[in-house]
Amino acid sequence: MAGFIQEDIPKVTPNVPNDFRHALCVGETGCGKTTSFILPNVLNRIQKGHGLFIIDFKGNLHSQVKALANQESRLEDVIEIGVPWGSSINIFKNISRSMFINALNEINGKEGE
């Protein structure tokens, strides 16, 4: 049983097609979204040489992603931003204040301010 709809739970992990950039996986807390959908699709992308940008809101996905990258000998490709462990980068290091403000204005649709 999945939710209120009685159906067979799929035996195969649903892989997001290569030409899709976004996917949505919905389910209640603890139902297995990460282990049965997110991580297999991350592994699939790593194996195919794709780049990924992962935002880890809860802060517990990074070690699983690094384990998958390590399994595929791609750990050196993982860059973490704003963490005290692993490789980290400063995305603002070479950006001037005016360049940063101009970028924000462009994002917000304000030109030349």
Side-chain angles (χ1 to χ4, degrees):
M1 175 126 100
F4 294 108
I5 302 169
Q6 290 192 7
E7 59 186 49
D8 290 331
I9 296 174
K11 306 282 189 256
V12 178
T13 299
N15 279 320
V16 177
N18 282 330
D19 54 347
F20 281 40
R21 292 183 178 211
H22 306 281
L24 175 67
C25 178
V26 180
E28 64 186 38
T29 302
C31 71
K33 296 177 296 293
T34 300
T35 56
S36 65
F37 182 75
I38 294 172
L39 293 175
N41 278 286
V42 166
L43 177 60
N44 178 271
R45 293 300 199 266
I46 289 171
Q47 289 171 333
K48 292 181 177 181
H50 292 258
L52 300 165
F53 182 75
I54 299 171
I55 300 173
D56 184 5
F57 289 106
K58 294 192 316 185
N60 59 359
L61 189 60
H62 69 93
S63 59
Q64 294 164 308
V65 170
K66 287 191 286 187
L68 293 176
N70 189 43
Q71 170 186 317
E72 299 299 317
S73 300
R74 296 213 34 218
L75 186 58
E76 68 281 352
D77 295 337
V78 174
I79 298 172
E80 295 183 81
I81 300 172
V83 296
W85 55 86
S87 298
S88 64
I89 62 170
N90 179 353
I91 60 173
F92 299 108
K93 181 179 178 183
N94 297 313
I95 297 177
S96 68
R97 177 178 165 77
S98 62
M99 184 184 290
F100 178 71
I101 290 172
N102 286 340
L104 289 178
N105 286 333
E106 280 189 42
I107 290 169
N108 290 315
K110 301 174 184 176
E111 290 185 31
E113 291 186 21

